[in-house]
Each structure stands twice: as structure tokens, then as C-alpha cells.
Amino acid sequence: MHWKIQPTNDLNFGGRSRAADADLAAFYSAIFLQLPMSDLKHATEISFAGTFACSAFSACFAELCTIPLDTAKVRLQLQKKGSTNEAGLPKYRGMLGTVVTIALEEGLVALWKGIVPGLHRQCLYGGLRIGLYDPVKIFFVGNDFVGDVPLFKKVLAALITGAIAIAVANPTDLVKVRLQAEGKLPPGVPRRYTGALDAYYTIVRQEGLAALWTGLGPNIARNAIINAAELASYDQIKQTILKISGFTDNLLTHLLAGLGAGFFAVCIGSPVDVVKSRMMGDSTYKSTFDCFFKTLKNEGPFAFYKGFFPNFGRLGSWNAIMFLTLEQAKIFFRRGVA
């Protein structure tokens, strides 16, 4: 039995040919339809495992480059109304001001707080959300679908893969936020956690295993929405740019599309991101709705866009670096298996 799969206009990160897209679709159809691989003409260039590895590597590299901005974003989001320094001003003011304050008070190394669980998170979340995107999208449109995949199906596929990925990676996100949230302590006051592994152990011992999934609701909402905004917008922006005379599928196109994806992700996901950070960083909130309404009541609607510019600085640069790296990683991987 042989299956002929028509190529779909999918998220073409690495500039694959339409024939290669058809082969990739055939490979994924084998996963979902449970067809024996011996019945397929298996000429796919990158397997699911290869896509996962490229995505995880790219996400980890972007995390390593941009986590100082993420630390600044978390501090701004957790800063409550009325929190001031000795001069009566807010302790953290703006992205660069927050970065400078943290570096002066706690040292440069403090800007990379949470990098270990951050890399744990990106290995799982980054690999799964992109690795699963194509097979889920193909599942929705069908194996024999011809033409452009409707935008709403791209968005739906990204929503699902983002939710699945963060449900697996939530403990790593929790530990990352806890470590980032801890600022300079008074002399003699010990830190809550000595490191990432100690944080995992301490949380389970003191709060129970289920505590590792604290904030899962807003985290799923945030990451599903942001994943949909990133993947769908990257796809659409890249397609639009390639229609402009003089643009080709090169580094500049990837950079512009990545920045655009980051901007849309921040605009859409900032409110749930603030709620997620507050729930993970402060255990006094009873639920997602409790955190949302208390923040709205005490600080007003603009509180949900606290840290917007550092968030865009972080997410925009993160997406640009991640997509640039991913495109190149897939090219390198494809050459390696050729």
C-alpha cells in the first residue's frame, strides 16, 4: 500500500521545497494513521526527533541570550503599587533601569537567575510546541489537502501545541520565576533556594508535588495564546515579506518576521503573562481570577501591561534569535543527514 500526500503550504522555517513538504507530511501521517513505515516512500529530510532537537537547541540559545531582559520583566511585573526605594520612587523603572538596578545591587550574575530551569523549560516547551505544530496542523486539514492552510487552523494547531507543551514544562517555568523573583536580601537572611534542583526539591517537600503546577491555568492560557501569535504571525509575515520585490528567504526576512511575531505575542499575551508571573512569584493569590481581580482593583487595567517594553525587548529579540537559529539549525541538520 502506497500513500501519495499532496504538499501543503505549511510553516516553512527552513525554506524547504514543496516536494520535501510532501515527504514531511507523509512521515507525520504515518504517526497519526499508524501506517507501517515500510509502506511509505520515506524521503523526509528531517524527522520529528530532528525537528524537536533543532527547536530545543534554538529555544535554549535564545533563552541564554535574552534572559537578563526576562529577569527585568519579571521584576517589573511583580512590583506592586506603592513599592518604592529610599528616594520614594519605584525601585524598578523601565527595562534598562531595572537591568542596571539588578546589576548594581546584586551583581551581573543575578541577571541570569533562573537560567538552569529556563533551559530545562526550553528543551521541553520549545521542542514540543514547534515539533508538534506540523503534525497537528496536518491532522486538522487532512492528508490530501491541497492549497494554503487556513489561518484559523494554523492558530488552532498552535494553541493546542502550546498548551500541551507548557503543561509538560510548567514545573520548570515555576522554578524559573521563583528564582528570578528573589531580589537582594537583608544581611543574614538566607535565600529560599540555593539553586534550581534545590528549588524543585524544596517546593515538593514544603508544598507538595502538585505545587509544581501552580499557575498552570494562566500559564496554559499565556503560552497557548503566545504560541499561536508567534507561529501564525511568523508564517504570515514571512509570506508577506517574500511577496515584496527584492526580498528572499534569507536572514533579513527571518529577522523581520521574528520581530513581528514577538510584537504580536506581547500585545496579545501580556495580561495573562502578568497574572502568571504574579501567581508563580506570590503564593498569596487563591486562584487565577483572584489574582486578576485583585490586580485590577488595586492597580487598574494598565497593571496588566506592566513591563510591556521589556517584555517586547525580551520576546521580540527572543523570537528573532530563535527563528534565525532554527532556520540555520534545520539547514545544518538537513546537510548532516543528506
Side-chain angles (χ1 to χ4, degrees):
M1 179 174 63
H2 295 277
W3 291 76
K4 182 179 180 182
I5 307 300
Q6 295 293 334
T8 59
N9 185 21
D10 65 350
L11 187 58
N12 191 350
F13 289 122
R16 298 189 305 264
S17 66
R18 292 178 64 84
D21 286 337
D23 290 330
L24 188 59
F27 173 74
Y28 286 137
S29 70
I31 297 175
F32 280 95
L33 300 176
Q34 296 182 342
L35 299 175
M37 291 305 299
S38 59
D39 288 342
L40 295 172
K41 183 182 178 182
H42 181 50
T44 183
E45 295 182 352
I46 303 180
S47 66
F48 172 79
T51 303
F52 179 94
C54 290
S55 303
F57 170 78
S58 303
C60 285
F61 181 69
E63 185 78 5
L64 189 64
C65 293
T66 62
I67 198 169
L69 299 177
D70 189 52
T71 300
K73 178 207 73 173
V74 169
R75 295 287 181 90
L76 283 167
Q77 289 178 336
L78 294 178
Q79 182 169 251
K80 296 181 180 179
K81 192 175 182 179
S83 298
T84 59
N85 56 20
E86 295 178 357
L89 299 172
K91 182 177 181 180
Y92 301 120
R93 302 181 67 189
M95 177 180 66
L96 294 179
T98 302
V99 169
V100 171
T101 298
I102 295 172
L104 290 176
E105 290 188 351
E106 306 168 46
L108 284 173
V109 177
L111 293 169
W112 275 267
K113 278 185 176 179
I115 186 59
V116 174
L119 295 178
H120 294 167
R121 176 187 186 274
Q122 293 304 337
C123 280
L124 292 172
Y125 177 69
L128 287 173
R129 74 183 182 109
I130 296 176
L132 292 173
Y133 177 69
D134 275 346
V136 171
K137 188 169 58 175
I138 290 170
F139 176 78
F140 282 133
V141 299
N143 300 325
D144 298 320
F145 180 83
V146 178
D148 293 338
V149 176
L151 179 60
F152 82 92
K153 290 191 176 181
K154 294 179 183 178
V155 172
L156 182 60
L159 283 170
I160 291 173
T161 61
I164 293 172
I166 201 58
V168 175
N170 195 83
T172 63
D173 214 7
L174 174 72
V175 170
K176 175 187 169 187
V177 170
R178 293 266 182 108
L179 291 174
Q180 288 178 316
E182 194 171 59
K184 184 178 181 180
L185 299 174
V189 177
R191 294 196 173 276
R192 294 170 70 184
Y193 315 112
T194 58
L197 294 179
D198 178 63
Y200 289 119
Y201 173 75
T202 302
I203 291 170
V204 172
R205 179 170 55 85
Q206 294 181 350
E207 305 173 45
L209 182 63
L212 290 173
W213 278 268
T214 298
L216 180 61
N219 212 13
I220 285 179
R222 173 204 182 259
N223 286 280
I225 291 170
I226 289 179
N227 191 51
E230 286 177 351
L231 297 188
S233 63
Y234 182 85
D235 194 3
Q236 293 299 120
I237 293 170
K238 183 178 175 181
Q239 288 179 8
T240 302
I241 291 174
L242 290 176
K243 293 177 182 178
I244 301 174
S245 177
F247 282 91
T248 59
D249 192 2
N250 57 17
L251 293 176
L252 178 60
T253 298
H254 304 158
L255 176 63
L256 294 175
L259 288 172
F263 178 76
F264 280 109
V266 175
C267 289
I268 295 171
S270 190
V272 288
D273 190 39
V274 170
V275 172
K276 184 267 296 186
S277 292
R278 291 197 171 190
M279 284 196 68
M280 289 184 167
D282 188 344
S283 58
T284 60
Y285 296 112
K286 297 177 183 178
S287 66
T288 302
F289 290 107
D290 180 54
C291 180
F292 177 84
F293 287 117
K294 281 183 178 178
T295 301
L296 181 64
K297 179 181 177 181
N298 296 332
E299 304 173 55
F302 289 107
F304 295 109
Y305 285 89
K306 274 189 174 181
F308 178 87
F309 288 107
N311 200 8
F312 173 65
R314 144 73 169 173
L315 207 53
S317 59
W318 191 96
N319 273 276
I321 294 171
M322 194 281 290
F323 282 117
L324 279 171
T325 307
L326 179 60
E327 299 265 18
Q328 298 306 307
K330 283 195 168 185
I331 292 172
F332 179 81
F333 189 90
R334 192 176 295 114
R335 288 173 180 170
V337 299

